[in-house]
Amino acid sequence: MKALIPAAGHGTRFLPVTRVIPKEMLPVGAKPAIQLIAEEALAAGAEEVVIVISPDKDIIRRYFEGDSGLAPHIRWACQTEQLGLGHAVLQGADILAGEKEPVLVLLGDALVSGRAPSADMVAISRQTDGASVVGLEEVPVEKVSRYGIVKGAPYGIAAVDHAFDGRVWKLDDMVEKPSPESAPSRMAIAGRYLLDPAIFRFLACQKPGHGGEIQLTDAIRNLMSQKNVYGYRYPGRRHDIGNPAGYRETLEAFAC
Ligand code: UTP
């Protein structure tokens, strides 16, 4: 299995520090956040992690090629124009589009404290014939307009591990940043995806969506017309290091 971490975004919610330090490089303990994310991918069984950076975030590459200890597992892709998350993932197509197994995508600014979701998502995919699985989190109705929101129903898998009981959904639709009135649920896509490699075909012809950006959610919605997609409401807590308040909360959670 292979993984991809998009880390080429502008980081405007954490200016001015992100002018010189990418948010993905902010320290959590003695390691930059993105190293913890890469380690989550490797622990879930990824042999290789493709990190997507922009030309002005080369400090991330220098870090991994230096002291991280992870250099043999990391490959690089570049996003020169910040056209959105879907576009960032598409930059990994040369390396990943020919994969047989689903590709794990972990957002470079999303850390999860507690039980790591990626390994569970791999286990759920194996029990659903290699289907795609997206990580989910329940959010208050006033926050649905910040996330991709899914429509679906609870799905019983014959789980060996009872940690999955009541946490898996079969999905039939998803919409990026809906208004509270139009949101199909309060289940938000939360920083982790395990995607059938066919996603790269859909991304390659994906038109800009919400905010004029090429949205990963729109491409997964199209993927759903051909392949099953499941959701996993994971038990860990997601932290967004992409803004000062979220970063402070991350440090508190990881200090414990
Ligand atoms: P965000 O949605 O937080 O966007 O990206 P952003 O542009 O980095 O941050 P703000 O909104 O300006 O503060 C989620 C993840 O996807 C990456 C980011 O680096 C982050 O890890 N991303 C986002 C890209 O790689 N390219 C993009 O065009 C957008």
Side-chain angles (χ1 to χ4, degrees):
M1 185 184 69
K2 293 191 178 160
L4 178 145
I5 303 176
H10 287 307
T12 50
R13 287 169 299 143
F14 219 140
L15 284 169
V17 71
T18 43
R19 271 195 238 288
V20 289
I21 302 173
K23 57 184 171 179
E24 295 86 359
M25 287 301 290
L26 291 171
V28 177
K31 294 177 181 174
I34 192 169
Q35 179 167 358
L36 299 177
I37 296 168
E39 287 173 355
E40 178 183 326
L42 296 171
E47 302 116 34
E48 214 165 56
V49 182
V50 177
I51 302 182
V52 183
I53 53 173
S54 60
D56 58 353
K57 291 172 98 170
D58 199 55
I59 188 175
I60 299 178
R61 184 204 297 259
R62 292 202 305 269
Y63 173 75
F64 276 98
E65 289 180 351
D67 285 343
S68 72
L70 301 183
H73 300 288
I74 309 286
R75 292 179 70 181
W76 300 95
C78 187
Q79 185 192 31
T80 49
E81 273 186 293
Q82 278 49 60
L83 301 181
L85 176 59
H87 182 258
V89 174
L90 180 61
Q91 307 315 303
D94 285 351
I95 303 176
L96 300 169
E99 284 300 297
K100 297 270 178 293
E101 287 193 52
V103 174
L104 184 62
V105 175
L106 309 92
L107 297 194
D109 61 357
L111 282 174
V112 180
S113 57
R115 185 176 168 117
S118 294
D120 286 351
M121 289 165 62
V122 171
I124 291 165
S125 177
R126 295 213 166 116
Q127 291 180 53
T128 51
D129 288 332
S132 303
V133 183
V134 297
L136 298 177
E137 158 186 49
E138 193 165 353
V139 298
V141 68
E142 64 275 14
K143 291 191 179 164
V144 290
S145 58
R146 298 185 195 174
Y147 298 94
I149 301 291
V150 303
K151 177 168 183 267
Y155 181 81
I157 54 170
V160 183
D161 187 336
H162 289 292
F164 304 151
D165 286 354
R167 294 188 170 274
V168 179
W169 279 34
K170 175 118 192 309
L171 305 183
D172 35 53
D173 204 359
M174 55 180 61
V175 49
E176 185 62 26
K177 301 190 173 65
S179 65
E181 300 74 43
S182 64
S185 75
R186 291 196 289 121
M187 285 296 185
I189 304 175
R192 299 289 183 270
Y193 311 73
L194 185 63
L195 297 173
D196 187 292
I199 194 69
F200 292 105
R201 279 197 278 113
F202 289 100
L203 281 170
C205 54
Q206 191 61 54
K207 301 263 180 310
H210 186 93
E213 295 191 342
I214 296 176
Q215 297 288 353
L216 183 58
T217 305
D218 295 341
I220 302 173
R221 186 167 190 263
N222 290 331
L223 176 73
M224 272 176 172
S225 64
Q226 292 183 1
K227 309 238 180 188
N228 287 336
V229 179
Y230 294 85
Y232 173 49
R233 191 170 56 83
Y234 56 74
R237 197 156 141 240
R238 184 188 57 86
H239 307 277
D240 179 1
I241 57 154
N243 64 82
Y247 180 52
R248 194 167 56 237
E249 192 193 281
T250 310
L251 294 183
E252 282 162 14
F254 278 78
C256 301

